[in-house]
Amino acid sequence: MKGIFVGTKPSYKVIIGRDAITQVGSLIKRAAPEVEKVLIVSDSTVAALYLEKLKKSLTVSKLETSEYVFEAGEQSKNIDSISGMWGVMAEAGFTRTDAVVTLGGGVATDMGGFAAATFLRGIKVFHVPTSLLAMVDAAVGGKTGIDLKEGKNLAGAFWQPSMVIEDTALLESLPPELFTEGMGEVLKHAFIMDTELFALLKDIAESGKAADLQKDPELLEKLVSMNVSDKVEVITDDTLDNGRRQTLNFGHTVGHVIERNSNFSLAHGVCVAKGMGIIIDASVACGRLDAEEGEKMKDLIKAFGLPVTDDITPEEAVSGAMNDKKKRGGTISVIVVTKIGTSEIVKMTPEEYQEFLQKGRTA
Ligand code: GLY
């Protein structure tokens, strides 16, 4: 198994390897010997597949387990679920030296992290992500939270995990559409900061291996490791999202609005892909990105089975962005890739943002 050090405060490790789920108990005991009780936070789909396996690993290491299993889906990401988690921990007599273990995708890591950040003013959380998206993005970096009816992720806290344990073997049985949506975040890392990753993805696409990626354990482990390293570099530089970390939002400001407008029927990674396509078109139309580079990026998104367009209007995108947590004061921070592997934050007024998007649409 491989360990990637995350130099945030507090620091922690991301452990990556096949069958890592069987080691979760011993890894927790080694990292935090004081932990006696753990609350497993998982969704109904993932729990049916892996809860017993995880519990076995925890109980073998003499950890006492409780569970909070929520109905799979973004609609569960609300304060009622958090309140339910607090209740189970209070009932089981958790103290400040106990911990939460999340098992699942981004909804589980966001909510379990938030429950841990707030219970008894903060207890440890360990993430065991099961989706590609959670492995390369949501589980790393300490963003936790819930959605409000006014918008996605509007309430939350930064709360770094004590360890992230990523079992890449789980990706092999992930439903293909979930794997594909995770590729949205993988492509994002390539575009904003990693030419080596871009070259690897291009090679995978051109050699016809994109459809079989899930069946290639070595390549999966390499891909996950490269993406975790990218994310770790960014969040170590800017843990609290005041600067460089915002580049991770490439495609997200539009993507979140598309996601919300679909009533969360469209997957996050799919909406991010659509958002990236829209921003690429606008960037090319405004002379911020070379047209050939833009085409290469869009071709790669499509090669991994993701869309690059949506019928959202610039007006809808702007009004949705006004409720997005990425808005700062009167301006919207738009992430623009200026060439493959390089990105910048461009502050735009709502009017400028609308004009920018309009140019992309009419080009
Ligand atoms: N998912 C973007 C971030 O962690 O900042």
Side-chain angles (χ1 to χ4, degrees), residues 137-138 140-141 143 185 188 231 235 241 245 248-249 252:
D137 188 22
V140 182
K143 279 191 179 174
E185 301 288 358
K188 176 195 79 179
K231 175 115 196 215
I235 58 130
D241 207 11
R245 186 165 181 168
L248 296 173
N249 293 331
H252 283 58

Side-chain angles (χ1 to χ4, degrees), residues 41-355:
V41 171
S42 191
D43 72 54
S44 46
T45 309
V46 172
L49 296 170
Y50 306 120
L51 184 65
E52 285 314 313
K53 206 169 188 178
L54 176 66
K55 261 168 80 174
K56 190 169 169 211
S57 156
L58 296 167
T59 47
V60 161
S61 293
K62 310 259 177 308
L63 289 158
E64 196 183 307
T65 63
S66 308
E67 291 148 37
Y68 185 89
V69 178
F70 59 89
E71 197 191 318
E74 188 79 21
Q75 74 285 350
S76 292
K77 205 169 136 184
N78 56 45
I79 194 64
D80 294 338
S81 299
I82 300 298
S83 175
M85 293 171 206
W86 290 332
V88 176
M89 289 192 278
E91 185 80 12
F94 272 49
T95 71
R96 295 194 71 184
T97 50
D98 294 321
V100 172
V101 178
T102 69
L103 173 72
V107 178
T109 59
D110 279 10
M111 285 211 294
F114 188 47
T118 45
F119 187 71
L120 299 179
R121 299 202 175 89
I123 62 172
K124 287 188 164 59
V125 62
F126 296 82
H127 292 311
V128 185
T130 57
S131 70
L132 179 62
L133 189 141
M135 288 189 197
V136 301
D137 188 22
V140 182
K143 279 191 179 174
T144 75
I146 52 169
D147 302 335
L148 302 185
K149 71 174 176 2
E150 290 79 5
K152 194 172 153 74
N153 296 333
L154 287 188
F158 285 100
W159 193 249
Q160 296 301 332
S162 296
M163 188 178 277
V164 182
I165 302 151
E166 310 202 338
D167 183 343
T168 47
L170 304 186
L171 296 176
E172 292 162 37
S173 53
L174 199 65
E177 66 278 10
L178 270 187
F179 186 82
T180 298
E181 83 138 327
M183 286 306 296
E185 301 288 358
V186 169
L187 288 155
K188 176 195 79 179
H189 287 148
F191 297 156
I192 63 167
M193 65 183 291
D194 192 343
T195 50
E196 199 187 320
L197 177 60
F198 182 87
L200 174 66
L201 294 172
K202 194 160 175 290
D203 181 54
I204 292 171
E206 284 172 357
S207 56
K209 284 190 271 173
D212 288 332
L213 193 51
Q214 268 187 276
K215 294 186 208 120
D216 189 333
E218 260 174 49
L219 196 50
L220 279 179
E221 206 167 315
K222 180 172 178 179
L223 211 54
V224 169
S225 299
M226 284 175 91
N227 278 276
V228 169
S229 298
D230 283 343
K231 175 115 196 215
V232 166
E233 181 187 316
V234 175
I235 58 130
T236 308
D237 242 23
D238 173 29
T239 308
L240 297 181
D241 207 11
N242 291 316
R244 186 181 176 195
R245 186 165 181 168
Q246 290 170 50
T247 60
L248 296 173
N249 293 331
F250 179 51
H252 283 58
T253 308
V254 182
H256 278 173
V257 184
I258 298 171
E259 195 178 349
R260 205 166 61 239
N261 287 356
S262 80
N263 214 9
F264 299 104
S265 63
L266 287 175
H268 175 72
V270 170
C271 297
V272 167
K274 285 171 171 259
M276 290 194 292
I278 290 168
I279 297 295
I280 290 168
D281 283 345
S283 304
V284 169
C286 294
R288 289 180 179 271
L289 173 68
D290 178 69
E292 207 179 309
E293 294 265 288
E295 278 315 303
K296 279 191 205 162
M297 289 161 70
K298 289 201 300 180
D299 285 347
L300 199 56
I301 298 173
K302 288 187 272 185
F304 283 95
L306 286 161
V308 291
T309 56
D310 188 81
D311 55 14
I312 188 171
T313 64
E315 293 77 11
E316 284 168 331
V318 173
S319 79
M322 302 315 284
N323 257 338
D324 198 282
K325 68 182 188 317
K326 291 165 186 62
K327 183 173 149 275
R328 289 178 189 235
T331 60
I332 298 162
S333 297
V334 181
I335 311 308
V336 174
V337 170
T338 50
K339 66 174 190 202
I340 292 164
T342 308
S343 49
E344 59 184 49
I345 305 163
V346 183
K347 295 211 179 304
M348 296 186 194
T349 62
E351 295 74 27
E352 287 165 343
Y353 183 47
Q354 186 164 326
E355 193 186 334

